[in-house]
Amino acid sequence: MKIKITSVFVEDQEKALRFYTDVLGFVKKTDMPAGDYKWITVVSPEEPDSVELLLEPNNNPAAKTYQKAIYDEGVPTTSFTVDDIQQEYERLKKRGVEFTEEPTEVGPVTFAIFDDTCGNLIQISQEK
């Protein structure tokens, strides 16, 4: 069994696509109509044939309630790994990304948390 696609709920798919590609640096893999919304996925340019991140439209009350509740609790929706967290933190800060948690060392991992402007907190981490 393999993970092919995982998702994050987003308030606006086009805004999310711009943030995840233009700011974070992911690459659009799929963008096709799906009823009133789209099926939009992005991938890491380092692993374009690996796991896809689906920018899932936040179009139902249960999703909105879940998304808001974990955001309000400060819980990241997902986590991405980076090779150099300090360098990535500085790169993203220069691009206007707002962090709710600066790089913090916890045991064998250093992590930081930022707001994706689409209703989610996202964690980046680096293992020692």
Side-chain angles (χ1 to χ4, degrees), residues 25-45:
F26 288 107
V27 177
K28 179 172 65 174
K29 179 140 187 177
T30 307
D31 185 350
M32 63 184 192
D36 292 336
Y37 299 94
K38 293 183 173 185
W39 182 268
I40 302 174
T41 65
V42 295
V43 295
S44 167

Side-chain angles (χ1 to χ4, degrees), residues 1 16 19 31 36 43 45 50-51 63 76 83 90 99 103 110 120 126:
M1 186 178 307
F19 181 83
D31 185 350
D36 292 336
V43 295
S50 190
V51 178
D83 293 329
E90 291 169 13
F99 281 80
T110 301
N120 304 293
Q126 175 188 353

